[in-house]
C-alpha cells in the first residue's frame, strides 16, 4: 500500500504558493519535468519515478536493485568530472563509455538508460533524467526522508569523457585523487561511498573476483552479495555494520583483500567519518542528501542549472478549443490543484476567460465563466508521490462555450475552500499575466488522433483563425535520432500542413498534417507555428498521447 503524502495536509494552497523562492509563470520549460518528478502514481502518470517508488517497485531479476543501479549510473556518469578544469560531470557521457573496464555491469547501465530514454524530449535531457533517477531513488528508499532538490538544464554530451571512475582494486591514494578531481575531500569521499552503498550490492556476474560465481551454474541469479541486510532501505546500516565488524559488505570484508576498496576508504581518516555516519542515522541521511545533491549538480562550467523545481500549486492541463459552425468555440481542459486523499467536498473552482481583444471584460461584460468540477473520491483524477512530503494533486475538469467573435486570450482561476468553518477564495492570475490561451492555432481534438499500434500514425487537424492572416502554417514533431543509441539526441522533423476547408460561419479554416512515427517507446511531441510577416504565432510542446487513440 502506498504511503499517504503529508505535504498537502500541512500547508494550504495559498501558503504553498507564497512559499516559492521565485514566482512561477505558466507555461514554463520545466513543466514537463515537474510532472515527471511529482506525479509518480495515479491517473495518467508515466514517469521514471514509478519504477523505483515505492523502493524496489520494479524487480529486474534476482539480486537486482533498480534504485541502486540508478544511483550507480549517476555516479559513474559524474565521475569523469574535473571540477578545477570545469569539464565533465553529469552529462550522460556514460552512454559512450560502457566499453571501459571501469564500467562493468553493462545490463544495469543499458537498462537504466533505456528506462530514461522513454522520457527524452527537447525539455528533458538524458543527463537531467539520470539525475532525476538518482534523486527519486533516494527519495523513495528513504521514504521521503532525503529529498534532494532537482535542478534542470543539464546538457547531453555527444562523446565519451575521460576515464576516471574509481575501481575496487586501486590503492587509496588513487581513490583520494579521483574524488578530489570530482570536487570531494577525504571525508566527503567516505560519505559518498557509504551513501552509494547503502542500497544494492556486488554482482558476482560482474565482479567474479569479489563475489565468486560457481562454475557451470545453470541459474540466472546475479550472485549478488548485498552491502547490508536492509538493501531496499536508505539508511546507515552499511556504516554501522562496518564499525561493528559485521562482515556483510564484500567491498569491505571480501575474501579478496585487493578489492576491499570500501575498507581502505572508510579507514583513510582513521575511521573518524565512518563512525559519525554509523552513530547517527539522522547525520547519515543529512550528509547523504548534501553529498548526493552536489554529485548530481556537478556539471561542465558552461552549463547553468535552474533553481530547484517546486511543485506547481495551480497548473492547467490538456487545454483544447473546438471550433463549431454555430459561431461558438468549446473550451475544455483541466486545472491541477493541490488536494488531499480525502478530497475537499466544499471546494469550488471557477475559471474566468478573458476576450481575445484583451479588453477589461468586467467593464465590457465579455467575461465568460466556467465551473471546474471533480469527483472528490475519483482516483481517475488523482496523482501523487509514493512517499510522504510531496503533494497530492487532483484534476478539476471544465468545459464551456465562448462566442467566436469574442474569442479568448487567457484565464484566471479562483479556488474557494472552507477553512475553519469559513469560505475563503484565492484568485490565481499567473503573476498578473493570466494563464495564456491563445486562439489562433488550435488543435482540433475531435478531428485528430494518434495511433499507438501498427504504423504509429499521427493524424493532426488544426483550426487557424482567418483574420490572423498567416502567411504560412507549419509544424514539427520531436523524435529521437536513433532508438538504438543509448543517448539519442532529439531531432525536430517538419510536418507539412495542407489547407482542407473553411469552417462555415466560424472565421476559421482547417489544416491537416500526417506523420508516421518510428516504432518504439518514447515521448511523442508536436509543435505548431504560424507566421505573418515578422509576427510568429506558436503553440508548442504538445504530447500526442493527449489526442484520441
Amino acid at each position: 500500500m502506498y504511503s499517504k503524502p503529508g505535504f498537502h495536509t500541512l500547508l494550504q494552497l495559498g501558503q504553498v504558493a507564497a512559499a516559492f523562492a521565485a514566482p512561477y509563470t505558466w507555461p514554463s520549460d520545466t513543466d514537463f519535468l515537474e510532472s515527471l518528478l511529482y506525479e509518480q502514481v495515479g491517473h495518467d502518470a508515466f514517469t521514471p519515478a514509478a519504477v523505483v517508488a515505492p523502493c524496489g517497485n520494479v524487480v529486474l531479476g534476482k539480486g537486482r536493485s533498480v534504485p541502486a543501479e540508478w544511483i550507480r549510473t549517476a555516479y559513474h556518469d559524474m565521475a569523469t568530472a574535473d571540477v578545477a578544469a570545469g569539464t565533465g560531470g553529469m552529462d550522460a557521457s556514460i552512454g559512450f563509455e560502457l566499453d571501459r573496464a571501469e564500467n562493468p555491469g553493462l545490463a544495469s547501465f543499458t537498462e537504466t538508460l533505456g528506462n530514461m530514454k522513454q522520457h527524452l524530449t527537447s525539455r528533458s535531457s538524458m543527463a537531467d533524467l539520470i539525475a532525476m533517477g538518482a534523486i527519486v531513488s533516494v527519495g523513495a528508499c528513504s521514504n521521503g526522508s532525503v529529498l534532494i532538490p532537482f535542478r534542470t538544464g543539464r546538457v547531453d554530451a555527444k562523446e565519451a569523457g575521460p576515464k576516471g571512475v574509481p575501481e575496487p582494486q586501486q590503492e587509496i591514494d588513487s581513490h583520494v585523487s579521483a574524488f578530489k578531481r570530482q570536487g570531494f575531500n577525504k571525508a566527503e569521499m567516505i560519505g559518498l561511498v557509504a551513501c552509494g552503498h547503502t542500497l544494492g550490492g556486488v554482482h558476482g556476474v560482474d565482479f567474479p573476483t569479489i563475489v565468486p560465481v560457481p562454475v557451470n551454474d545453470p541459474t540466472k541469479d546475479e550472485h549478488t552479495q548485498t552491502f547490508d541486510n536492509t538493501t531496499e532501505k536508505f539508511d546507515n546500516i552499511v556504516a554501522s555494520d562496518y564499525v561493528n565488524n559485521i562482515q556483510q559488505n564484500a567491498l569491505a570484508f571480501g575474501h579478496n583483500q585487493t578489492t576491499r576498496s570500501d575498507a581502505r576508504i572508510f579507514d583513510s581518516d582513521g575511521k573518524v567519518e565512518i563512525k559519525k555516519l554509523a552513530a547517527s542515522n539522522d547525520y547519515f541521511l543529512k550528509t547523504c542528501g548534501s553529498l548526493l545533491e552536489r554529485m548530481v549538480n556537478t556539471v561542465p562550467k558552461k552549463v547553468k542549472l535552474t533553481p530547484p523545481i517546486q511543485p506547481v500549486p495551480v497548473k492547467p492541463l490538456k487545454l483544447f478549443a473546438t471550433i463549431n459552425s454555430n459561431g461558438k468555440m468549446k473550451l475544455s481542459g483541466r486545472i491541477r490543484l493541490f488536494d488531499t486523499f480525502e478530497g475537499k467536498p466544499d471546494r469550488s473552482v471557477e475559471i474566468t476567460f478573458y476576450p481575445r481583444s484583451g479588453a477589461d471584460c468586467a467593464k465590457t461584460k465579455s467575461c465568460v465563466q466556467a465551473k471546474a468540477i471533480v469527483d472528490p473520491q475519483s482516483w481517475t483524477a488523482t496523482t501523487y508521490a509514493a512517499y510522504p512530503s510531496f503533494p497530492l494533486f487532483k484534476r478539476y475538469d471544465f468545459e464551456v462555450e465562448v462566442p467566436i467573435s469574442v474569442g479568448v486570450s487567457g484565464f484566471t482561476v479562483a479556488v474557494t475552500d472552507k477553512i475553519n468553518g469559513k469560505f475563503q477564495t484565492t484568485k490565481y492570475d499567473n503573476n498578473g499575466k493570466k494563464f495564456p490561451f491563445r486562439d489562433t492555432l488550435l488543435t482540433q481534438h475531435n478531428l485528430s488522433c494518434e495511433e499507438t499500434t501498427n504504423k504509429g500514425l499521427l493524424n493532426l487537424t488544426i483550426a487557424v483563425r482567418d483574420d490572423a492572416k498567416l502567411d504560412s502554417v507549419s509544424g514539427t514533431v520531436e523524435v529521437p535520432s536513433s532508438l538504438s543509441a543509448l543517448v539519442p539526441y532529439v531531432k525536430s522533423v517538419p510536418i507539412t500542413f495542407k489547407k482542407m476547408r473553411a469552417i462555415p460561419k466560424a472565421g476559421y479554416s482547417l489544416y491537416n498534417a500526417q506523420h508516421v512515427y518510428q516504432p518504439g517507446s518514447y515521448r511523442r511531441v508536436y509543435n505548431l507555428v504560424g507566421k505573418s510577416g515578422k509576427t510568429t504565432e506558436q503553440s508548442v510542446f504538445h504530447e500526442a498521447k493527449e489526442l484520441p487513440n
Side-chain angles (χ1 to χ4, degrees), residues 413-431:
V413 180
V415 180
T416 301
D417 282 316
K418 193 173 186 179
I419 302 173
N420 297 325
K422 296 182 179 179
F423 286 100
Q424 298 181 23
T425 300
T426 304
K427 183 177 179 180
Y428 297 92
D429 61 2
N430 205 27
N431 293 317

mmCIF file with all atom_site columns, all heavy atoms in Angstrom, residues 413-431:
data_model
loop_
_atom_site.group_PDB
_atom_site.id
_atom_site.type_symbol
_atom_site.label_atom_id
_atom_site.label_alt_id
_atom_site.label_comp_id
_atom_site.label_asym_id
_atom_site.label_entity_id
_atom_site.label_seq_id
_atom_site.pdbx_PDB_ins_code
_atom_site.Cartn_x
_atom_site.Cartn_y
_atom_site.Cartn_z
_atom_site.occupancy
_atom_site.B_iso_or_equiv
_atom_site.pdbx_formal_charge
_atom_site.auth_seq_id
_atom_site.auth_comp_id
_atom_site.auth_asym_id
_atom_site.auth_atom_id
_atom_site.pdbx_PDB_model_num
ATOM 1   N N   . VAL A 1 413 ? -7.992  31.680 -12.357 1.00 0.00 ? 413 VAL A N   1
ATOM 2   C CA  . VAL A 1 413 ? -8.605  30.590 -11.599 1.00 0.00 ? 413 VAL A CA  1
ATOM 3   C C   . VAL A 1 413 ? -8.864  31.065 -10.176 1.00 0.00 ? 413 VAL A C   1
ATOM 4   O O   . VAL A 1 413 ? -7.965  31.591 -9.515  1.00 0.00 ? 413 VAL A O   1
ATOM 5   C CB  . VAL A 1 413 ? -7.688  29.351 -11.571 1.00 0.00 ? 413 VAL A CB  1
ATOM 6   C CG1 . VAL A 1 413 ? -8.334  28.221 -10.766 1.00 0.00 ? 413 VAL A CG1 1
ATOM 7   C CG2 . VAL A 1 413 ? -7.381  28.875 -12.990 1.00 0.00 ? 413 VAL A CG2 1
ATOM 8   N N   . ALA A 1 414 ? -10.090 30.882 -9.723  1.00 0.00 ? 414 ALA A N   1
ATOM 9   C CA  . ALA A 1 414 ? -10.452 31.222 -8.348  1.00 0.00 ? 414 ALA A CA  1
ATOM 10  C C   . ALA A 1 414 ? -10.803 29.937 -7.604  1.00 0.00 ? 414 ALA A C   1
ATOM 11  O O   . ALA A 1 414 ? -11.670 29.170 -8.041  1.00 0.00 ? 414 ALA A O   1
ATOM 12  C CB  . ALA A 1 414 ? -11.625 32.189 -8.311  1.00 0.00 ? 414 ALA A CB  1
ATOM 13  N N   . VAL A 1 415 ? -10.114 29.695 -6.493  1.00 0.00 ? 415 VAL A N   1
ATOM 14  C CA  . VAL A 1 415 ? -10.322 28.480 -5.698  1.00 0.00 ? 415 VAL A CA  1
ATOM 15  C C   . VAL A 1 415 ? -10.918 28.881 -4.356  1.00 0.00 ? 415 VAL A C   1
ATOM 16  O O   . VAL A 1 415 ? -10.333 29.687 -3.621  1.00 0.00 ? 415 VAL A O   1
ATOM 17  C CB  . VAL A 1 415 ? -9.002  27.717 -5.482  1.00 0.00 ? 415 VAL A CB  1
ATOM 18  C CG1 . VAL A 1 415 ? -9.247  26.452 -4.662  1.00 0.00 ? 415 VAL A CG1 1
ATOM 19  C CG2 . VAL A 1 415 ? -8.363  27.366 -6.825  1.00 0.00 ? 415 VAL A CG2 1
ATOM 20  N N   . THR A 1 416 ? -12.078 28.324 -4.045  1.00 0.00 ? 416 THR A N   1
ATOM 21  C CA  . THR A 1 416 ? -12.748 28.612 -2.777  1.00 0.00 ? 416 THR A CA  1
ATOM 22  C C   . THR A 1 416 ? -12.747 27.356 -1.916  1.00 0.00 ? 416 THR A C   1
ATOM 23  O O   . THR A 1 416 ? -13.210 26.294 -2.356  1.00 0.00 ? 416 THR A O   1
ATOM 24  C CB  . THR A 1 416 ? -14.185 29.093 -3.006  1.00 0.00 ? 416 THR A CB  1
ATOM 25  O OG1 . THR A 1 416 ? -14.170 30.269 -3.812  1.00 0.00 ? 416 THR A OG1 1
ATOM 26  C CG2 . THR A 1 416 ? -14.872 29.396 -1.678  1.00 0.00 ? 416 THR A CG2 1
ATOM 27  N N   . ASP A 1 417 ? -12.200 27.475 -0.708  1.00 0.00 ? 417 ASP A N   1
ATOM 28  C CA  . ASP A 1 417 ? -12.153 26.368 0.241   1.00 0.00 ? 417 ASP A CA  1
ATOM 29  C C   . ASP A 1 417 ? -12.793 26.789 1.555   1.00 0.00 ? 417 ASP A C   1
ATOM 30  O O   . ASP A 1 417 ? -12.781 27.974 1.923   1.00 0.00 ? 417 ASP A O   1
ATOM 31  C CB  . ASP A 1 417 ? -10.710 25.939 0.507   1.00 0.00 ? 417 ASP A CB  1
ATOM 32  C CG  . ASP A 1 417 ? -10.136 25.083 -0.613  1.00 0.00 ? 417 ASP A CG  1
ATOM 33  O OD1 . ASP A 1 417 ? -10.839 24.179 -1.084  1.00 0.00 ? 417 ASP A OD1 1
ATOM 34  O OD2 . ASP A 1 417 ? -8.992  25.343 -1.024  1.00 0.00 ? 417 ASP A OD2 1
ATOM 35  N N   . LYS A 1 418 ? -13.320 25.820 2.257   1.00 0.00 ? 418 LYS A N   1
ATOM 36  C CA  . LYS A 1 418 ? -13.872 26.069 3.583   1.00 0.00 ? 418 LYS A CA  1
ATOM 37  C C   . LYS A 1 418 ? -12.775 25.821 4.605   1.00 0.00 ? 418 LYS A C   1
ATOM 38  O O   . LYS A 1 418 ? -12.295 24.701 4.763   1.00 0.00 ? 418 LYS A O   1
ATOM 39  C CB  . LYS A 1 418 ? -15.064 25.146 3.850   1.00 0.00 ? 418 LYS A CB  1
ATOM 40  C CG  . LYS A 1 418 ? -15.901 25.547 5.063   1.00 0.00 ? 418 LYS A CG  1
ATOM 41  C CD  . LYS A 1 418 ? -17.156 24.688 5.146   1.00 0.00 ? 418 LYS A CD  1
ATOM 42  C CE  . LYS A 1 418 ? -18.084 25.153 6.266   1.00 0.00 ? 418 LYS A CE  1
ATOM 43  N NZ  . LYS A 1 418 ? -19.312 24.319 6.331   1.00 0.00 ? 418 LYS A NZ  1
ATOM 44  N N   . ILE A 1 419 ? -12.349 26.898 5.262   1.00 0.00 ? 419 ILE A N   1
ATOM 45  C CA  . ILE A 1 419 ? -11.243 26.833 6.218   1.00 0.00 ? 419 ILE A CA  1
ATOM 46  C C   . ILE A 1 419 ? -11.740 27.339 7.573   1.00 0.00 ? 419 ILE A C   1
ATOM 47  O O   . ILE A 1 419 ? -12.200 28.489 7.688   1.00 0.00 ? 419 ILE A O   1
ATOM 48  C CB  . ILE A 1 419 ? -10.038 27.672 5.734   1.00 0.00 ? 419 ILE A CB  1
ATOM 49  C CG1 . ILE A 1 419 ? -9.569  27.175 4.353   1.00 0.00 ? 419 ILE A CG1 1
ATOM 50  C CG2 . ILE A 1 419 ? -8.892  27.607 6.735   1.00 0.00 ? 419 ILE A CG2 1
ATOM 51  C CD1 . ILE A 1 419 ? -8.497  28.037 3.724   1.00 0.00 ? 419 ILE A CD1 1
ATOM 52  N N   . ASN A 1 420 ? -11.663 26.476 8.564   1.00 0.00 ? 420 ASN A N   1
ATOM 53  C CA  . ASN A 1 420 ? -12.133 26.827 9.916   1.00 0.00 ? 420 ASN A CA  1
ATOM 54  C C   . ASN A 1 420 ? -13.581 27.331 9.894   1.00 0.00 ? 420 ASN A C   1
ATOM 55  O O   . ASN A 1 420 ? -13.933 28.300 10.569  1.00 0.00 ? 420 ASN A O   1
ATOM 56  C CB  . ASN A 1 420 ? -11.225 27.885 10.551  1.00 0.00 ? 420 ASN A CB  1
ATOM 57  C CG  . ASN A 1 420 ? -9.816  27.376 10.743  1.00 0.00 ? 420 ASN A CG  1
ATOM 58  O OD1 . ASN A 1 420 ? -9.603  26.195 11.025  1.00 0.00 ? 420 ASN A OD1 1
ATOM 59  N ND2 . ASN A 1 420 ? -8.838  28.268 10.576  1.00 0.00 ? 420 ASN A ND2 1
ATOM 60  N N   . GLY A 1 421 ? -14.396 26.653 9.091   1.00 0.00 ? 421 GLY A N   1
ATOM 61  C CA  . GLY A 1 421 ? -15.817 26.974 9.052   1.00 0.00 ? 421 GLY A CA  1
ATOM 62  C C   . GLY A 1 421 ? -16.197 28.144 8.165   1.00 0.00 ? 421 GLY A C   1
ATOM 63  O O   . GLY A 1 421 ? -17.378 28.452 8.030   1.00 0.00 ? 421 GLY A O   1
ATOM 64  N N   . LYS A 1 422 ? -15.191 28.802 7.555   1.00 0.00 ? 422 LYS A N   1
ATOM 65  C CA  . LYS A 1 422 ? -15.487 29.954 6.704   1.00 0.00 ? 422 LYS A CA  1
ATOM 66  C C   . LYS A 1 422 ? -14.945 29.713 5.292   1.00 0.00 ? 422 LYS A C   1
ATOM 67  O O   . LYS A 1 422 ? -13.881 29.121 5.120   1.00 0.00 ? 422 LYS A O   1
ATOM 68  C CB  . LYS A 1 422 ? -14.850 31.220 7.288   1.00 0.00 ? 422 LYS A CB  1
ATOM 69  C CG  . LYS A 1 422 ? -15.416 31.628 8.640   1.00 0.00 ? 422 LYS A CG  1
ATOM 70  C CD  . LYS A 1 422 ? -14.770 32.923 9.120   1.00 0.00 ? 422 LYS A CD  1
ATOM 71  C CE  . LYS A 1 422 ? -15.353 33.357 10.464  1.00 0.00 ? 422 LYS A CE  1
ATOM 72  N NZ  . LYS A 1 422 ? -14.715 34.614 10.953  1.00 0.00 ? 422 LYS A NZ  1
ATOM 73  N N   . PHE A 1 423 ? -15.698 30.197 4.291   1.00 0.00 ? 423 PHE A N   1
ATOM 74  C CA  . PHE A 1 423 ? -15.256 30.059 2.909   1.00 0.00 ? 423 PHE A CA  1
ATOM 75  C C   . PHE A 1 423 ? -14.265 31.169 2.569   1.00 0.00 ? 423 PHE A C   1
ATOM 76  O O   . PHE A 1 423 ? -14.532 32.354 2.820   1.00 0.00 ? 423 PHE A O   1
ATOM 77  C CB  . PHE A 1 423 ? -16.455 30.102 1.953   1.00 0.00 ? 423 PHE A CB  1
ATOM 78  C CG  . PHE A 1 423 ? -17.267 28.851 1.980   1.00 0.00 ? 423 PHE A CG  1
ATOM 79  C CD1 . PHE A 1 423 ? -18.458 28.780 2.707   1.00 0.00 ? 423 PHE A CD1 1
ATOM 80  C CD2 . PHE A 1 423 ? -16.849 27.712 1.297   1.00 0.00 ? 423 PHE A CD2 1
ATOM 81  C CE1 . PHE A 1 423 ? -19.208 27.617 2.728   1.00 0.00 ? 423 PHE A CE1 1
ATOM 82  C CE2 . PHE A 1 423 ? -17.597 26.544 1.312   1.00 0.00 ? 423 PHE A CE2 1
ATOM 83  C CZ  . PHE A 1 423 ? -18.781 26.495 2.039   1.00 0.00 ? 423 PHE A CZ  1
ATOM 84  N N   . GLN A 1 424 ? -13.131 30.761 2.020   1.00 0.00 ? 424 GLN A N   1
ATOM 85  C CA  . GLN A 1 424 ? -12.095 31.716 1.624   1.00 0.00 ? 424 GLN A CA  1
ATOM 86  C C   . GLN A 1 424 ? -11.722 31.455 0.171   1.00 0.00 ? 424 GLN A C   1
ATOM 87  O O   . GLN A 1 424 ? -11.526 30.310 -0.239  1.00 0.00 ? 424 GLN A O   1
ATOM 88  C CB  . GLN A 1 424 ? -10.863 31.577 2.516   1.00 0.00 ? 424 GLN A CB  1
ATOM 89  C CG  . GLN A 1 424 ? -11.133 31.875 3.984   1.00 0.00 ? 424 GLN A CG  1
ATOM 90  C CD  . GLN A 1 424 ? -9.873  31.758 4.834   1.00 0.00 ? 424 GLN A CD  1
ATOM 91  O OE1 . GLN A 1 424 ? -8.757  31.870 4.320   1.00 0.00 ? 424 GLN A OE1 1
ATOM 92  N NE2 . GLN A 1 424 ? -10.040 31.537 6.122   1.00 0.00 ? 424 GLN A NE2 1
ATOM 93  N N   . THR A 1 425 ? -11.625 32.538 -0.599  1.00 0.00 ? 425 THR A N   1
ATOM 94  C CA  . THR A 1 425 ? -11.326 32.434 -2.026  1.00 0.00 ? 425 THR A CA  1
ATOM 95  C C   . THR A 1 425 ? -9.949  33.001 -2.325  1.00 0.00 ? 425 THR A C   1
ATOM 96  O O   . THR A 1 425 ? -9.612  34.100 -1.868  1.00 0.00 ? 425 THR A O   1
ATOM 97  C CB  . THR A 1 425 ? -12.377 33.171 -2.872  1.00 0.00 ? 425 THR A CB  1
ATOM 98  O OG1 . THR A 1 425 ? -13.664 32.595 -2.632  1.00 0.00 ? 425 THR A OG1 1
ATOM 99  C CG2 . THR A 1 425 ? -12.047 33.091 -4.353  1.00 0.00 ? 425 THR A CG2 1
ATOM 100 N N   . THR A 1 426 ? -9.187  32.259 -3.076  1.00 0.00 ? 426 THR A N   1
ATOM 101 C CA  . THR A 1 426 ? -7.887  32.719 -3.542  1.00 0.00 ? 426 THR A CA  1
ATOM 102 C C   . THR A 1 426 ? -7.909  32.757 -5.062  1.00 0.00 ? 426 THR A C   1
ATOM 103 O O   . THR A 1 426 ? -8.280  31.777 -5.708  1.00 0.00 ? 426 THR A O   1
ATOM 104 C CB  . THR A 1 426 ? -6.749  31.789 -3.076  1.00 0.00 ? 426 THR A CB  1
ATOM 105 O OG1 . THR A 1 426 ? -6.793  31.672 -1.650  1.00 0.00 ? 426 THR A OG1 1
ATOM 106 C CG2 . THR A 1 426 ? -5.391  32.330 -3.497  1.00 0.00 ? 426 THR A CG2 1
ATOM 107 N N   . LYS A 1 427 ? -7.521  33.905 -5.620  1.00 0.00 ? 427 LYS A N   1
ATOM 108 C CA  . LYS A 1 427 ? -7.512  34.062 -7.067  1.00 0.00 ? 427 LYS A CA  1
ATOM 109 C C   . LYS A 1 427 ? -6.091  33.894 -7.587  1.00 0.00 ? 427 LYS A C   1
ATOM 110 O O   . LYS A 1 427 ? -5.148  34.485 -7.055  1.00 0.00 ? 427 LYS A O   1
ATOM 111 C CB  . LYS A 1 427 ? -8.056  35.432 -7.465  1.00 0.00 ? 427 LYS A CB  1
ATOM 112 C CG  . LYS A 1 427 ? -8.144  35.645 -8.977  1.00 0.00 ? 427 LYS A CG  1
ATOM 113 C CD  . LYS A 1 427 ? -8.757  37.003 -9.310  1.00 0.00 ? 427 LYS A CD  1
ATOM 114 C CE  . LYS A 1 427 ? -8.818  37.229 -10.819 1.00 0.00 ? 427 LYS A CE  1
ATOM 115 N NZ  . LYS A 1 427 ? -9.415  38.541 -11.162 1.00 0.00 ? 427 LYS A NZ  1
ATOM 116 N N   . TYR A 1 428 ? -5.948  33.110 -8.621  1.00 0.00 ? 428 TYR A N   1
ATOM 117 C CA  . TYR A 1 428 ? -4.638  32.869 -9.244  1.00 0.00 ? 428 TYR A CA  1
ATOM 118 C C   . TYR A 1 428 ? -4.658  33.451 -10.649 1.00 0.00 ? 428 TYR A C   1
ATOM 119 O O   . TYR A 1 428 ? -5.478  33.066 -11.491 1.00 0.00 ? 428 TYR A O   1
ATOM 120 C CB  . TYR A 1 428 ? -4.340  31.363 -9.284  1.00 0.00 ? 428 TYR A CB  1
ATOM 121 C CG  . TYR A 1 428 ? -4.245  30.770 -7.901  1.00 0.00 ? 428 TYR A CG  1
ATOM 122 C CD1 . TYR A 1 428 ? -5.371  30.218 -7.287  1.00 0.00 ? 428 TYR A CD1 1
ATOM 123 C CD2 . TYR A 1 428 ? -3.053  30.807 -7.187  1.00 0.00 ? 428 TYR A CD2 1
ATOM 124 C CE1 . TYR A 1 428 ? -5.287  29.691 -6.002  1.00 0.00 ? 428 TYR A CE1 1
ATOM 125 C CE2 . TYR A 1 428 ? -2.961  30.290 -5.904  1.00 0.00 ? 428 TYR A CE2 1
ATOM 126 C CZ  . TYR A 1 428 ? -4.086  29.741 -5.321  1.00 0.00 ? 428 TYR A CZ  1
ATOM 127 O OH  . TYR A 1 428 ? -4.004  29.237 -4.040  1.00 0.00 ? 428 TYR A OH  1
ATOM 128 N N   . ASP A 1 429 ? -3.752  34.432 -10.871 1.00 0.00 ? 429 ASP A N   1
ATOM 129 C CA  . ASP A 1 429 ? -3.739  35.126 -12.165 1.00 0.00 ? 429 ASP A CA  1
ATOM 130 C C   . ASP A 1 429 ? -2.399  34.979 -12.875 1.00 0.00 ? 429 ASP A C   1
ATOM 131 O O   . ASP A 1 429 ? -2.075  35.771 -13.761 1.00 0.00 ? 429 ASP A O   1
ATOM 132 C CB  . ASP A 1 429 ? -4.073  36.607 -11.982 1.00 0.00 ? 429 ASP A CB  1
ATOM 133 C CG  . ASP A 1 429 ? -3.066  37.348 -11.100 1.00 0.00 ? 429 ASP A CG  1
ATOM 134 O OD1 . ASP A 1 429 ? -2.071  36.711 -10.654 1.00 0.00 ? 429 ASP A OD1 1
ATOM 135 O OD2 . ASP A 1 429 ? -3.247  38.554 -10.873 1.00 0.00 ? 429 ASP A OD2 1
ATOM 136 N N   . ASN A 1 430 ? -1.602  33.950 -12.484 1.00 0.00 ? 430 ASN A N   1
ATOM 137 C CA  . ASN A 1 430 ? -0.349  33.670 -13.188 1.00 0.00 ? 430 ASN A CA  1
ATOM 138 C C   . ASN A 1 430 ? 0.597   34.866 -13.116 1.00 0.00 ? 430 ASN A C   1
ATOM 139 O O   . ASN A 1 430 ? 1.133   35.332 -14.128 1.00 0.00 ? 430 ASN A O   1
ATOM 140 C CB  . ASN A 1 430 ? -0.632  33.290 -14.650 1.00 0.00 ? 430 ASN A CB  1
ATOM 141 C CG  . ASN A 1 430 ? 0.459   32.430 -15.253 1.00 0.00 ? 430 ASN A CG  1
ATOM 142 O OD1 . ASN A 1 430 ? 1.155   31.699 -14.561 1.00 0.00 ? 430 ASN A OD1 1
ATOM 143 N ND2 . ASN A 1 430 ? 0.609   32.513 -16.571 1.00 0.00 ? 430 ASN A ND2 1
ATOM 144 N N   . ASN A 1 431 ? 0.765   35.377 -11.883 1.00 0.00 ? 431 ASN A N   1
ATOM 145 C CA  . ASN A 1 431 ? 1.647   36.538 -11.652 1.00 0.00 ? 431 ASN A CA  1
ATOM 146 C C   . ASN A 1 431 ? 1.208   37.767 -12.439 1.00 0.00 ? 431 ASN A C   1
ATOM 147 O O   . ASN A 1 431 ? 2.031   38.528 -12.955 1.00 0.00 ? 431 ASN A O   1
ATOM 148 C CB  . ASN A 1 431 ? 3.103   36.196 -11.986 1.00 0.00 ? 431 ASN A CB  1
ATOM 149 C CG  . ASN A 1 431 ? 3.679   35.185 -11.032 1.00 0.00 ? 431 ASN A CG  1
ATOM 150 O OD1 . ASN A 1 431 ? 3.470   35.266 -9.829  1.00 0.00 ? 431 ASN A OD1 1
ATOM 151 N ND2 . ASN A 1 431 ? 4.375   34.197 -11.570 1.00 0.00 ? 431 ASN A ND2 1
#
